[in-house]
Each structure stands twice: as C-alpha cells, then as structure tokens.
Amino acid sequence: MFTKNTYIERRRRLKQAMGSGLLLFFGNNESPANYPANGYKYRQDSCFLYYFGLQREGLAAVIDIDNNEEILFGDDIDIEDIIWTGFVPSVKELGESVGVMKSAPMSQLNAVCQKAIATKRPIHFLPPYRFDIMIQMSDLLGIHPLKLREAASVPFIKAVVDMRAVKSAEEVEEIERAMEIGYRMHTAAMKACHPGVSEQYIAGLLEGIAHGSGCMVSFQTILTTHGEIMHSCLTDKPLEAGRLMLCDAGAETNNNYCSDNTRVTPVSGKFTQRQLDIYSIVEACHDLVLEKAAPGMKWLDMHLDVCRLMTDRLKDLGLMKGNTEDAVQAGAHAMFLPHGLGHMMGMDVHDMEGLGQIYVGYDDEVRPSTQFGTNALRCGRRLQPGFVMTDEPGIYFIPQLIDQWRSQGFHKDFLNYDLLETYKDFGGIRLEDDILITETGNRLLGKNTIPYHPADVEAFIASSH
C-alpha cells in the first residue's frame, strides 16, 4: 500500500478527467476453490486497488463527482469472524486510511444507486469479470448480468486506462521489486534444469519463491519442453536430454505489481547448433526492441520491424524465401510468430486487459489487425514515457499449423515446407523481458538481468551444476 496521499491524488485526477456523474467501484469477494470455506488466495481487483489501496474482501465504493463525496461500502466483521481470521479494522477506519471520510454498510449502496437512477444521473462502472460481482451489479442497476460488460462506461474505461498506463516512480519501484523476485525464480529454474526432473517440480520451486517473497505468481507458470504450445500446462513428465525448457513466469509483490519474463534453457546444458541457429534469431529480435523502442513510436511498427528481421534471418536458414516485405505484409511470418511482440504490464501482468484491449492497446489512430498473428498483438498504440512493456519475440514450430498450411498451399511462395518438416520436433523459443519507456528511449527493468545471451546461459548452467 502506498501513502494516503497517493490514493487521494489518483481519485482527484480521476474526478477531474470524468467531470460529472457517479463512479461505482467493486472490490473482489473471496473465491471458493471447491467449497465455501476453502478459498483461493485472495486477490483484490486492480482498479479498486489503484484508487483505494484496500485489500479487504467485500468492499465497494462510490465517487459522487457532482456532490464531491466519496463513500466506502462494506460490512464490519463480527466476533465469530475475528475468532477465525483475527481482528480487521472497521470499514470506517479502512476508508480513513486512504482519505475516504464517509463509510456505510453494504446494504446502503442500493439506496445510493436507486436515487441516482431515479434522478437520471449517469452511473459509470467498469466491465466486471467475476460472476458474483455481475450478480451484485445486476441487482443494483437492473441490467442483466451478461449485458453488464457491454453497458460499462467507455469514458470511465478510457480515463482509467490513461491514468494506469503511465507508471509513476513509485509504481516503477514496485515493478522493480517484482523483477528481483522474478530473477530469483528464473535462475532457480535454470539451476534445476536437468534430465529426469519434472516440469511440475521446477514450477513448484518457482511458485515457492514467489509466495515466500511477495504476494503470488503474476500468472500460472508456463514451464515446458513443448515451447511451441503458447500456454502449455504443467505435467509430471521428466525433462529429456537434448530438449529445450521454456519457462515463462513472473512474480507479484505484496503491493500487487507484476513481473513477466521468459527464458529458454538447454536441458543438456549446451545448445545444439540447430537450437543456437533459431535462438540467435530470437535474441536479435529481442535486442532490436532494446535498441529502437522509444516515445512516439507505434508498438505496431516495432512489432513489424521484429517480423522483418525474423523473416530475413529465417531466409538465411532456408526456412523462408521470397521478398521480406511481401512475406510480412502477407502474414507468412506468423507461421513462426503467431502472437504479438508484447503487452503493457503493471498491476495486471496483461495490464488492464479486463477493461477491453481495444481501449488499452489501441486508439483512434492505431486499430487492431485481423491478420493471423498480428491480431494477437495486445498493444499497437504509440509509446509514451512511463509505459511498461514486455519485449517477447519468439519462434515456434507447431506441427499441426505446419500440416494445415502445407495442405492448403498457404504462403507456399514464402515458406520452405520441406525444410519445415524437419523442425516438427524442435519446440519453441521465446525470450521476454520488461522495459520502461523513458523520455529518450527505454531501459530494462530489474537490477539483475536473467542470463539470455547463449554463452551466458551455458556459463550460468555450468557454474550451477
């Protein structure tokens, strides 16, 4: 939690941006895993945290801009709860700790909303993503739960995105803390990478580091020798010599700011020449972003620059052919890179994705693509100082995609399908770091950089075993 003045100032700026109306916020409730008293680890809603900073479940808030009033809603816990979970400050005390001087029981929220509806005052709310909150909001506002997301306030969404997209110095410091936890996670994975060790075991080590050093992992850890599967599920399969272990993992601090890195480790300790050929292309694409990303540049253009470099280098290996610009314009490179270059990051590892990617990553100038591969680019807009972006190019050999495109003769002028057949057992390589866009360019976040240059990876493994 930051200082009280941080949250007061954020709400002041939000009210100024919105101008008028009633702003409705919902915090998260507890979420049961398999029965009510056995819950998942609690995680507060990010927008509620951003403006109110309170971790307790069962809270809501209203900012009445026209009457200059802020109210925190929630029910105080009773002695039976205290026996099991310990003392919790009253809702009034919680509100005052972040500069909200008025509080009320949750039951009074309905009266506030009904009065606004009766007087035809606009009630602005953000798109909900939890079904229990959808039901609560439906009861309050008389909107069917499945219609709430489309009824959410676009001006409210845009105002929140404008604020949260640009990270303050204290937010960057918190992300740096997450990066240090992430560094320890990833280097632990590299040290544990041996033939015979299971994916689940290594992922468990990482999650222990995250939970012991911060709040939690920032997303479910991806750790696999099948790197061609973007979100591969963990298995108890032992790692095999000669394969590559892809680890995509991040940490979340106690203040709920995230890190997100990906590294690829040779299970045998050294890259084969074929692995090194592909790895070096991804490495070059990763470093191109560090060289070029700067304020005013469209992230879509950065993505396409990476695609051009990747295509040129794949042509050198004989996997692609033809004119580079024509290949990229046609989308042939998406055989190898079916996702976007990166996304915003902050309190959410895919920052603010729940508000709608069309508002977060795009604007009136830059619109999303419908082309396979580029349509998965979560952000295309111009970069601004204070943006935190992930830099995560990759090359993947997906057998089913190779078979489908070959059977259709798709991009046959740009792809060497005969050679591609020999890579079906390769897997995939992705390298990912988190960068801060500065006034003059960008910088890598994190005091320590997880080894990623091939010689450094091999040297680190050798020194760890």
Side-chain angles (χ1 to χ4, degrees):
M1 186 171 171
F2 299 126
T3 65
K4 177 194 294 189
N5 285 339
T6 292
Y7 301 104
I8 292 173
E9 175 61 15
R10 286 174 177 176
R11 295 193 299 270
R12 184 198 67 77
R13 288 174 55 206
L14 179 63
K15 287 184 281 189
Q16 185 178 48
M18 290 297 294
S20 65
L22 201 73
L23 309 183
L24 177 61
F25 293 84
F26 269 91
N28 283 336
N29 300 312
E30 295 281 7
S31 182
N34 56 338
Y35 58 88
N38 187 28
Y40 291 105
K41 182 175 176 63
Y42 181 71
R43 174 53 155 91
Q44 182 60 283
D45 174 75
S46 293
C47 284
F48 194 88
L49 274 176
Y50 187 81
Y51 291 103
F52 296 93
L54 299 172
Q55 293 282 3
R56 213 205 86 172
E57 77 289 348
L59 298 176
V62 162
I63 298 177
D64 185 337
I65 300 173
D66 304 307
N67 295 307
N68 195 28
E69 187 173 60
E70 300 174 347
I71 312 171
L72 181 67
F73 294 89
D75 298 324
D76 292 332
I77 68 170
D78 57 26
I79 191 62
E80 289 190 15
D81 292 320
I82 291 172
I83 290 169
W84 292 103
T85 60
F87 174 75
V88 176
S90 68
V91 174
K92 181 176 185 294
E93 291 168 328
L94 289 172
E96 290 174 350
S97 73
V98 292
V100 178
M101 307 314 293
K102 186 172 181 179
S103 60
M106 187 62 77
S107 60
Q108 292 188 23
L109 179 58
N110 183 65
V112 171
C113 291
Q114 291 307 311
K115 182 178 178 181
I117 292 170
T119 55
K120 301 189 184 306
R121 294 184 62 207
I123 300 177
H124 299 278
F125 60 88
L126 300 171
Y129 53 91
R130 288 195 174 188
F131 295 113
D132 57 334
I133 300 299
M134 291 180 185
I135 293 170
Q136 284 182 266
M137 293 179 68
S138 179
D139 288 344
L140 281 173
L141 305 175
I143 302 171
H144 190 281
L146 298 181
K147 299 290 186 182
L148 283 164
R149 287 192 63 84
E150 63 186 66
S153 168
V154 173
F156 193 10
I157 292 169
K158 289 183 175 180
V160 171
V161 168
D162 285 346
M163 288 184 64
R164 285 185 56 189
V166 178
K167 306 301 184 288
S168 67
E170 62 185 353
E171 288 181 286
V172 172
E173 288 177 12
E174 199 62 29
I175 293 172
E176 298 265 25
R177 293 188 184 98
M179 298 298 301
E180 287 309 299
I181 303 171
Y183 174 84
R184 286 187 277 121
M185 291 167 64
H186 277 274
T187 51
M190 295 169 73
K191 291 175 183 178
C193 182
H194 294 278
V197 180
S198 76
E199 298 172 2
Q200 287 179 343
Y201 176 80
I202 300 176
L205 294 178
L206 273 57
E207 300 215 0
I209 293 169
H211 284 276
S213 307
C215 177
M216 57 199 291
V217 291
S218 51
F219 56 96
Q220 292 298 313
T221 298
I222 301 164
L223 193 144
T224 180
T225 55
H226 283 280
E228 78 278 8
I229 303 172
M230 301 299 119
H231 291 170
S232 181
C233 296
L234 297 170
T235 73
D236 59 0
K237 285 181 56 179
L239 302 182
E240 298 176 3
R243 299 285 295 177
L244 296 172
M245 181 188 78
L246 184 148
C247 177
D248 188 342
E252 187 171 308
T253 68
N254 288 320
N255 279 331
N256 301 101
Y257 283 81
C258 299
S259 72
D260 184 6
N261 294 96
T262 305
R263 290 295 186 266
V264 171
T265 306
V267 178
S268 300
K270 285 188 174 293
F271 294 100
T272 67
Q273 186 57 52
R274 188 172 76 147
Q275 291 167 348
L276 198 57
D277 289 341
I278 301 300
Y279 190 104
S280 65
I281 300 175
V282 180
E283 175 194 18
C285 292
H286 169 279
D287 289 354
L288 181 68
V289 178
L290 302 183
E291 176 189 333
K292 293 190 64 173
M297 175 181 229
K298 295 177 188 175
W299 191 246
L300 172 61
D301 290 342
M302 187 73 258
H303 170 83
L304 293 174
D305 282 349
V306 162
C307 296
R308 293 183 188 99
L309 175 59
M310 182 179 296
T311 299
D312 281 338
R313 294 286 296 271
L314 288 168
K315 283 166 58 179
D316 292 341
L317 291 180
L319 285 162
M320 293 191 72
K321 56 187 178 179
N323 179 271
T324 294
E325 190 63 34
D326 291 344
V328 171
Q329 288 296 320
H333 66 280
M335 165 63 77
F336 307 95
L337 180 62
H339 64 72
L341 175 62
H343 50 81
M344 288 188 181
M345 194 187 73
M347 297 185 83
D348 310 310
V349 72
H350 288 175
D351 209 22
M352 301 175 284
E353 192 167 290
L355 299 181
Q357 208 60 53
I358 191 72
Y359 304 114
V360 177
Y362 293 90
D363 53 23
D364 291 340
E365 179 189 19
V366 185
R367 306 305 294 165
S369 171
T370 58
Q371 185 186 73
F372 176 76
T374 309
N375 63 354
L377 180 65
R378 291 186 170 93
C379 180
R381 62 191 285 197
R382 291 187 186 275
L383 301 174
Q384 297 177 36
F387 280 17
V388 172
M389 306 296 299
T390 64
D391 168 15
E392 50 177 312
I395 292 179
Y396 314 90
F397 295 90
I398 305 167
Q400 295 80 6
L401 186 62
I402 295 170
D403 289 343
Q404 183 187 75
W405 281 21
R406 183 169 199 172
S407 68
Q408 297 172 348
F410 205 40
H411 295 315
K412 64 182 187 309
D413 293 335
F414 303 116
L415 299 171
N416 183 343
Y417 282 108
D418 288 341
L419 187 56
L420 267 171
E421 286 290 330
T422 69
Y423 279 79
K424 282 184 174 180
D425 63 345
F426 186 95
I429 292 174
R430 179 167 64 254
L431 294 175
E432 178 180 16
D433 280 305
D434 308 324
I435 62 172
L436 172 69
I437 304 303
T438 65
E439 293 291 340
T440 57
N442 71 84
R443 72 171 177 88
L444 273 173
L445 289 170
K447 182 176 65 176
N448 298 302
T449 300
I450 308 158
Y452 75 92
H453 296 302
D456 295 338
V457 171
E458 292 180 349
F460 182 85
I461 297 169
S463 68
S464 303
H465 290 178

